[in-house]
Short mmCIF file of all heavy atoms in Angstrom, two decimals:
data_model
loop_
_atom_site.label_atom_id
_atom_site.label_comp_id
_atom_site.label_asym_id
_atom_site.label_seq_id
_atom_site.Cartn_x
_atom_site.Cartn_y
_atom_site.Cartn_z
N GLY A 1 -17.40 3.71 5.16
CA GLY A 1 -18.33 2.62 4.93
C GLY A 1 -18.72 2.48 3.48
O GLY A 1 -19.77 1.89 3.17
N GLN A 2 -17.88 2.95 2.58
CA GLN A 2 -18.20 2.94 1.15
C GLN A 2 -17.18 2.13 0.35
O GLN A 2 -17.02 2.30 -0.85
CB GLN A 2 -18.25 4.37 0.62
CG GLN A 2 -19.31 5.24 1.29
CD GLN A 2 -19.21 6.70 0.91
OE1 GLN A 2 -18.31 7.11 0.19
NE2 GLN A 2 -20.16 7.50 1.40
N GLY A 3 -16.46 1.25 1.03
CA GLY A 3 -15.44 0.46 0.35
C GLY A 3 -16.04 -0.65 -0.49
O GLY A 3 -17.22 -1.00 -0.36
N THR A 4 -15.23 -1.20 -1.37
CA THR A 4 -15.63 -2.34 -2.20
C THR A 4 -14.94 -3.59 -1.69
O THR A 4 -13.98 -3.53 -0.91
CB THR A 4 -15.26 -2.08 -3.67
OG1 THR A 4 -13.82 -2.03 -3.79
CG2 THR A 4 -15.85 -0.76 -4.16
N GLU A 5 -15.40 -4.73 -2.16
CA GLU A 5 -14.87 -6.00 -1.69
C GLU A 5 -13.38 -6.16 -2.02
O GLU A 5 -12.66 -6.90 -1.34
CB GLU A 5 -15.66 -7.17 -2.30
CG GLU A 5 -17.13 -7.20 -1.89
CD GLU A 5 -17.32 -7.37 -0.39
OE1 GLU A 5 -16.48 -8.04 0.23
OE2 GLU A 5 -18.31 -6.83 0.15
N SER A 6 -12.92 -5.48 -3.05
CA SER A 6 -11.52 -5.63 -3.45
C SER A 6 -10.59 -4.63 -2.79
O SER A 6 -9.37 -4.69 -2.99
CB SER A 6 -11.41 -5.48 -4.98
OG SER A 6 -11.82 -4.18 -5.38
N ASP A 7 -11.13 -3.71 -1.98
CA ASP A 7 -10.32 -2.62 -1.44
C ASP A 7 -9.23 -3.09 -0.47
O ASP A 7 -8.14 -2.51 -0.44
CB ASP A 7 -11.22 -1.59 -0.74
CG ASP A 7 -11.75 -0.54 -1.71
OD1 ASP A 7 -11.24 -0.50 -2.85
OD2 ASP A 7 -12.65 0.22 -1.33
N ILE A 8 -9.53 -4.11 0.31
CA ILE A 8 -8.53 -4.56 1.29
C ILE A 8 -7.32 -5.14 0.58
O ILE A 8 -6.17 -4.82 0.90
CB ILE A 8 -9.14 -5.57 2.26
CG1 ILE A 8 -10.28 -4.92 3.06
CG2 ILE A 8 -8.07 -6.12 3.22
CD1 ILE A 8 -11.03 -5.86 3.97
N ASP A 9 -7.57 -5.99 -0.42
CA ASP A 9 -6.45 -6.54 -1.19
C ASP A 9 -5.75 -5.45 -1.98
O ASP A 9 -4.52 -5.51 -2.18
CB ASP A 9 -6.96 -7.63 -2.13
CG ASP A 9 -7.38 -8.89 -1.37
OD1 ASP A 9 -6.84 -9.13 -0.27
OD2 ASP A 9 -8.27 -9.61 -1.87
N LEU A 10 -6.50 -4.46 -2.42
CA LEU A 10 -5.88 -3.33 -3.14
C LEU A 10 -4.96 -2.55 -2.21
O LEU A 10 -3.87 -2.12 -2.62
CB LEU A 10 -6.97 -2.41 -3.71
CG LEU A 10 -6.50 -1.21 -4.55
CD1 LEU A 10 -5.64 -1.68 -5.72
CD2 LEU A 10 -7.70 -0.41 -5.05
N LEU A 11 -5.38 -2.37 -0.95
CA LEU A 11 -4.52 -1.70 0.03
C LEU A 11 -3.19 -2.44 0.19
O LEU A 11 -2.12 -1.84 0.18
CB LEU A 11 -5.21 -1.63 1.40
CG LEU A 11 -6.17 -0.48 1.68
CD1 LEU A 11 -6.82 -0.67 3.05
CD2 LEU A 11 -5.45 0.86 1.62
N LEU A 12 -3.29 -3.76 0.32
CA LEU A 12 -2.08 -4.56 0.47
C LEU A 12 -1.19 -4.49 -0.77
O LEU A 12 0.04 -4.44 -0.68
CB LEU A 12 -2.45 -6.02 0.77
CG LEU A 12 -3.10 -6.29 2.13
CD1 LEU A 12 -3.60 -7.74 2.21
CD2 LEU A 12 -2.12 -6.00 3.26
N ASP A 13 -1.83 -4.45 -1.93
CA ASP A 13 -1.07 -4.38 -3.18
C ASP A 13 -0.34 -3.04 -3.30
O ASP A 13 0.85 -3.00 -3.64
CB ASP A 13 -2.02 -4.57 -4.36
CG ASP A 13 -1.28 -4.56 -5.69
OD1 ASP A 13 -0.42 -5.44 -5.89
OD2 ASP A 13 -1.55 -3.68 -6.52
N VAL A 14 -1.04 -1.96 -2.99
CA VAL A 14 -0.43 -0.63 -3.06
C VAL A 14 0.70 -0.52 -2.03
O VAL A 14 1.80 -0.04 -2.34
CB VAL A 14 -1.47 0.48 -2.84
CG1 VAL A 14 -0.80 1.85 -2.76
CG2 VAL A 14 -2.50 0.48 -3.97
N ALA A 15 0.43 -0.96 -0.79
CA ALA A 15 1.46 -0.89 0.25
C ALA A 15 2.68 -1.72 -0.15
O ALA A 15 3.83 -1.31 0.07
CB ALA A 15 0.90 -1.39 1.59
N GLY A 16 2.45 -2.87 -0.76
CA GLY A 16 3.56 -3.72 -1.19
C GLY A 16 4.38 -3.10 -2.29
O GLY A 16 5.58 -3.37 -2.41
N ASN A 17 3.76 -2.27 -3.11
CA ASN A 17 4.47 -1.59 -4.19
C ASN A 17 5.18 -0.33 -3.72
O ASN A 17 5.98 0.24 -4.47
CB ASN A 17 3.52 -1.26 -5.33
CG ASN A 17 3.29 -2.43 -6.25
OD1 ASN A 17 4.16 -2.83 -7.01
ND2 ASN A 17 2.11 -3.04 -6.14
N ILE A 18 4.88 0.11 -2.50
CA ILE A 18 5.63 1.24 -1.91
C ILE A 18 6.82 0.72 -1.12
O ILE A 18 7.95 1.20 -1.28
CB ILE A 18 4.72 2.05 -0.97
CG1 ILE A 18 3.53 2.66 -1.72
CG2 ILE A 18 5.53 3.16 -0.29
CD1 ILE A 18 2.53 3.34 -0.81
N GLU A 19 6.57 -0.27 -0.28
CA GLU A 19 7.58 -0.77 0.65
C GLU A 19 8.79 -1.31 -0.11
O GLU A 19 8.67 -2.17 -0.99
CB GLU A 19 6.98 -1.86 1.54
CG GLU A 19 7.88 -2.25 2.69
CD GLU A 19 7.19 -3.22 3.63
OE1 GLU A 19 6.18 -3.85 3.23
OE2 GLU A 19 7.66 -3.36 4.77
N GLY A 20 9.97 -0.79 0.24
CA GLY A 20 11.20 -1.26 -0.38
C GLY A 20 11.47 -0.69 -1.75
O GLY A 20 12.50 -1.00 -2.36
N ARG A 21 10.57 0.16 -2.25
CA ARG A 21 10.74 0.71 -3.60
C ARG A 21 10.83 2.23 -3.60
O ARG A 21 11.05 2.83 -4.65
CB ARG A 21 9.59 0.27 -4.50
CG ARG A 21 9.57 -1.23 -4.80
CD ARG A 21 8.34 -1.60 -5.63
NE ARG A 21 8.43 -2.96 -6.13
CZ ARG A 21 8.07 -4.06 -5.45
NH1 ARG A 21 7.61 -3.91 -4.21
NH2 ARG A 21 8.18 -5.25 -5.97
N SER A 22 10.64 2.86 -2.45
CA SER A 22 10.67 4.32 -2.41
C SER A 22 12.11 4.80 -2.21
O SER A 22 12.99 4.04 -1.80
CB SER A 22 9.77 4.86 -1.30
OG SER A 22 10.13 4.32 -0.05
N PHE A 23 12.32 6.07 -2.52
CA PHE A 23 13.67 6.64 -2.48
C PHE A 23 14.24 6.67 -1.07
O PHE A 23 15.44 6.53 -0.87
CB PHE A 23 13.61 8.06 -3.07
CG PHE A 23 14.94 8.55 -3.58
CD1 PHE A 23 15.35 8.25 -4.87
CD2 PHE A 23 15.78 9.31 -2.79
CE1 PHE A 23 16.56 8.69 -5.35
CE2 PHE A 23 17.00 9.75 -3.25
CZ PHE A 23 17.40 9.44 -4.55
N CYS A 24 13.37 6.89 -0.08
CA CYS A 24 13.81 6.90 1.31
C CYS A 24 12.80 6.13 2.15
O CYS A 24 11.87 5.53 1.62
CB CYS A 24 13.99 8.34 1.84
SG CYS A 24 12.44 9.19 2.21
N ALA A 25 12.97 6.17 3.45
CA ALA A 25 12.16 5.34 4.35
C ALA A 25 10.75 5.89 4.60
O ALA A 25 9.95 5.23 5.25
CB ALA A 25 12.88 5.17 5.69
N LEU A 26 10.43 7.08 4.08
CA LEU A 26 9.09 7.61 4.31
C LEU A 26 8.03 6.70 3.68
O LEU A 26 6.97 6.48 4.26
CB LEU A 26 8.95 9.04 3.76
CG LEU A 26 7.70 9.81 4.18
CD1 LEU A 26 7.97 11.32 4.21
CD2 LEU A 26 6.50 9.56 3.27
N GLY A 27 8.32 6.18 2.51
CA GLY A 27 7.38 5.27 1.87
C GLY A 27 7.14 4.03 2.71
O GLY A 27 5.99 3.60 2.90
N ASP A 28 8.22 3.45 3.22
CA ASP A 28 8.09 2.28 4.09
C ASP A 28 7.28 2.63 5.34
O ASP A 28 6.49 1.81 5.83
CB ASP A 28 9.46 1.77 4.52
CG ASP A 28 10.26 1.20 3.35
OD1 ASP A 28 9.65 0.94 2.30
OD2 ASP A 28 11.48 1.04 3.50
N ALA A 29 7.49 3.84 5.86
CA ALA A 29 6.78 4.27 7.07
C ALA A 29 5.28 4.30 6.84
O ALA A 29 4.50 4.07 7.76
CB ALA A 29 7.27 5.66 7.49
N ALA A 30 4.85 4.60 5.62
CA ALA A 30 3.43 4.64 5.31
C ALA A 30 2.87 3.24 5.07
O ALA A 30 1.72 2.94 5.41
CB ALA A 30 3.19 5.52 4.08
N ALA A 31 3.68 2.37 4.50
CA ALA A 31 3.18 1.04 4.13
C ALA A 31 3.05 0.10 5.32
O ALA A 31 2.10 -0.69 5.40
CB ALA A 31 4.12 0.42 3.09
N THR A 32 4.01 0.17 6.26
CA THR A 32 4.03 -0.84 7.33
C THR A 32 2.83 -0.80 8.27
O THR A 32 2.32 -1.87 8.63
CB THR A 32 5.34 -0.74 8.14
OG1 THR A 32 5.55 0.62 8.57
CG2 THR A 32 6.52 -1.17 7.31
#
């Protein structure tokens, strides 16, 4: 309950920078 207003978009941004860019599918597994 301590998140900021920008945290949700930040989550999507971080997940988007993992998905399809990691060495194997573990990164995608975390992002999806």
Side-chain angles (χ1 to χ4, degrees):
Q2 299 171 357
T4 65
E5 297 298 328
S6 63
D7 273 348
I8 298 175
D9 289 333
L10 183 57
L11 275 176
L12 292 172
D13 183 61
V14 173
N17 278 288
I18 298 173
E19 191 174 19
R21 293 176 169 85
S22 57
F23 202 86
C24 76
L26 192 151
D28 293 345
T32 51

